Amino acid sequence: MAETAAALQALARNVRAARTRAGLSLDELGRRAQVSKGALVGLEKAQGNPNFATLVRLADTLGVSVSALLEGPAEGRVRVVSAEAVAPLWTGARGSEARLMLTTSGPAPVEVWRWRLEPGEEYPSHPHQSGVVETVSVTAGRMILVVDGTEHTVEAGQTATFDADAPHTYRGTGTETCHLVMTVHLPPGATG
């Protein structure tokens, strides 16, 4: 429980700081991110449990990475992160999950994600801010990547990339679990 409380405190601190840097009131951030003011007040008081979609909308609206909202203070020059040390930010009913492993620093941050998609399970994502590019590399199994309504099959050993400012969905397909590494390339100026 102490880890959860610390994570909520870091999220509260980071959202409040990013909102202040952006010069947004709670009302304006809520309107732009499509999150209720009450939920934002609770979040900034380290209360509640925001879902993955809410975190993505807040990050996009604030022009920061999702991990910038979740991370505590920097740990040093080299970061090594194991999947077991990072809680899933999304889990599906059939056992699928997405874990944000880390975000690189610098003028154009990159988020590194590990995904597991069970056959028939999908995650629909809303469009991200302009300039965001996603890359998916399937390491096992097969998935269907749907971008702006068009389906693309991506199999083990294949990589696909796309501009993520259109609606997109990740769907497990075939008979085995799909494992993939996804990177989200944020535009220059986004805070990592």
Side-chain angles (χ1 to χ4, degrees), residues 54-104:
T54 298
L55 292 175
V56 171
R57 285 195 311 273
L58 285 170
D60 282 349
T61 302
L62 293 166
V64 301
S65 66
V66 172
S67 62
L69 295 179
L70 299 171
E71 289 180 339
E75 296 176 10
R77 187 172 189 157
V78 175
R79 288 182 288 164
V80 177
V81 181
S82 69
E84 297 73 34
V86 180
L89 288 179
W90 171 75
T91 54
R94 297 180 184 173
S96 298
E97 65 179 26
R99 295 175 188 255
L100 176 57
M101 301 306 296
L102 60 85
T103 301
T104 63

Side-chain angles (χ1 to χ4, degrees), residues 10 13 19 30 32 67 75 81 90 100 109 144 150 161 163 188-189:
R13 183 177 51 255
R19 180 177 62 77
R32 291 183 187 184
S67 62
E75 296 176 10
V81 181
W90 171 75
L100 176 57
I144 301 291
T150 303
T161 189
D163 294 333

Side-chain angles (χ1 to χ4, degrees), residues 105-143:
S105 57
V110 176
E111 296 177 349
V112 179
W113 293 80
R114 287 182 59 180
W115 284 72
R116 183 177 71 222
L117 291 170
E118 296 300 330
E121 192 155 43
E122 68 180 36
Y123 178 80
S125 179
H126 73 286
H128 297 294
Q129 65 183 341
S130 180
V132 172
V133 175
E134 291 191 13
T135 301
V136 293
S137 295
V138 175
T139 59
R142 182 174 22 163
M143 69 175 288

Side-chain angles (χ1 to χ4, degrees), residues 117 142-146 150-154 169-173:
L117 291 170
R142 182 174 22 163
M143 69 175 288
I144 301 291
L145 171 64
V146 183
T150 303
E151 294 187 359
H152 307 271
T153 301
V154 186
T169 299
Y170 316 104
R171 181 183 315 132
T173 190

Side-chain angles (χ1 to χ4, degrees), residues 17-38:
R19 180 177 62 77
T20 301
R21 276 193 311 274
L24 297 176
S25 67
L26 285 167
D27 287 325
E28 185 61 16
L29 176 58
R31 185 187 67 73
R32 291 183 187 184
Q34 300 174 342
V35 176
S36 74
K37 181 180 178 181

